[in-house]
Amino acid sequence: VSTFDSWTLPACNSSDFRLAHVAPVFSNGWAYLGEPAKWVPVAEARTLSVAVDGDGVSVELAGAAGEAVALAFYAPNGTVVGCATELDAAGGGGVRVGGAGGCA
């Protein structure tokens, strides 16, 4: 993770391609990276809202009832924190990460 003014990607073709994702780092040092196993890790249909507070981030999610969702966050200490949750019977759920990096 870094701050940059410009970014140059090396040339590639259909058999040697690269996929890069970027995410803003919030004022409290956290960043929401979404679902790292997906081609589109932060989709509007999945991520209903992202709220930032003093020491963490809360994410409200949507999907299929009982679906398992694995999310990732970039922590202020430079580590990536993984959080897993299961959506409820209505297909909703949420995750909060913060403080020392724990998920709730």
Side-chain angles (χ1 to χ4, degrees), residues 2-102:
S2 65
T3 302
F4 54 88
D5 293 323
S6 65
W7 189 22
T8 303
L9 294 175
C12 57
N13 59 45
S14 62
S15 64
D16 176 31
F17 69 93
R18 293 174 176 87
L19 178 64
H21 298 284
V22 296
V25 176
F26 302 120
S27 59
N28 62 7
W30 286 92
Y32 174 50
L33 304 178
E35 296 177 87
K38 304 276 180 126
W39 282 93
V40 179
V42 180
E44 185 177 1
R46 167 76 80 202
T47 303
L48 300 179
S49 68
V50 178
V52 179
D53 60 37
D55 72 342
V57 179
S58 298
V59 179
E60 292 299 318
L61 305 165
E67 184 179 3
V69 180
L71 301 175
F73 297 83
Y74 173 77
N77 66 4
T79 63
V80 174
V81 176
C83 296
T85 191
E86 185 175 306
L87 302 182
D88 63 22
V95 169
R96 183 183 188 287
V97 65

